[in-house]
Amino acid sequence: MAAKTMQDLLIEDLRDIYHAEKQIAKALPKMARAASSDQLRKAFETHLEQTNGQIERLQQVFEEMDTRPRGKHCDAMEGLISEAQEILEMGLAPEVQDAALIAAAQKVEHYEIASYGTLHAYATACGLDKVAQLLDETLQEEKDTDTLLNKLAIGDVNKKAIAASGKKAA
């Protein structure tokens, strides 16, 4: 469908992130199982719960817009998840794999932050206040997850990855 109006563009991008969130919901359990750090595993499990809530919130957005909730294949997320899968196949030491999984998850978060920020701006421009509020809730959750992943990486995971690599952390 060619976007003809700002609201058409909003709907197209909502369909993209809707499919992206469903892909993430399938990938997170694998990432959680692959994590050797209990904190990282818990972060992935918590984010899976959030992602399921975000999918429900997107369904609310579609309802608010009187549009059937359906996804449009998200090639970008497919690529990011494929990169995460490659990490699991590299044969990394568990501590190093945790560091790589955080990096892969943060790439996903940054895509989501960019997407939800744009969607929020579109909804605001269209005067769809309830839609904008729902999208902003998800945007804040994505930012919080990114911050948590960053804290895990800096606080513990990267240091353990360095130690497992036989080098001293700086």
Side-chain angles (χ1 to χ4, degrees):
M1 168 179 140
K4 296 177 183 164
T5 67
M6 193 68 170
Q7 193 159 326
D8 292 335
L9 181 61
L10 172 61
I11 290 168
E12 284 300 297
D13 284 357
L14 283 166
R15 288 179 174 153
D16 181 82
I17 198 68
Y18 186 66
H19 186 260
E21 292 288 10
K22 288 187 170 216
Q23 290 181 72
I24 294 164
K26 288 180 184 174
L28 279 168
K30 294 175 191 170
M31 294 175 75
R33 284 190 301 274
S36 68
S37 161
D38 288 337
Q39 288 180 311
L40 181 56
R41 182 178 309 106
K42 185 178 177 184
F44 286 149
E45 289 168 351
T46 299
H47 195 57
L48 174 59
E49 291 173 23
Q50 280 183 330
T51 299
N52 288 326
Q54 291 165 355
I55 290 168
E56 290 175 15
R57 196 175 294 133
L58 282 168
Q59 291 167 344
Q60 284 181 270
V61 166
F62 283 116
E63 189 176 304
E64 281 288 323
M65 298 184 70
D66 199 29
T67 302
R68 185 171 65 89
R70 67 178 170 91
K72 176 181 90 174
H73 187 78
C74 181
D75 293 326
M77 190 56 63
E78 181 179 43
L80 291 170
I81 290 172
S82 176
E83 285 183 17
Q85 182 61 40
E86 287 173 16
I87 289 167
L88 301 178
E89 297 165 1
M90 291 175 68
L92 299 170
E95 300 86 356
V96 176
Q97 181 170 285
D98 283 351
L101 285 171
I102 288 175
Q106 283 191 287
K107 288 178 184 181
V108 167
E109 291 308 311
H110 293 187
Y111 179 82
E112 290 179 296
I113 290 166
S115 295
Y116 283 107
T118 297
L119 289 166
H120 178 264
Y122 289 173
T124 300
C126 291
L128 300 169
D129 296 336
K130 176 68 175 172
V131 169
Q133 182 261 326
L134 290 166
L135 294 168
D136 189 57
E137 284 179 46
T138 300
L139 176 60
Q140 296 313 311
E141 287 175 355
E142 300 299 0
K143 288 179 178 180
D144 291 346
T145 297
D146 182 54
T147 298
L148 172 62
L149 290 169
N150 203 45
K151 285 180 182 176
L152 288 175
I154 292 169
D156 189 43
V157 172
N158 289 352
K159 291 173 185 169
K160 286 182 178 177
I162 293 294
S165 298
K167 298 191 177 184
K168 247 187 167 175

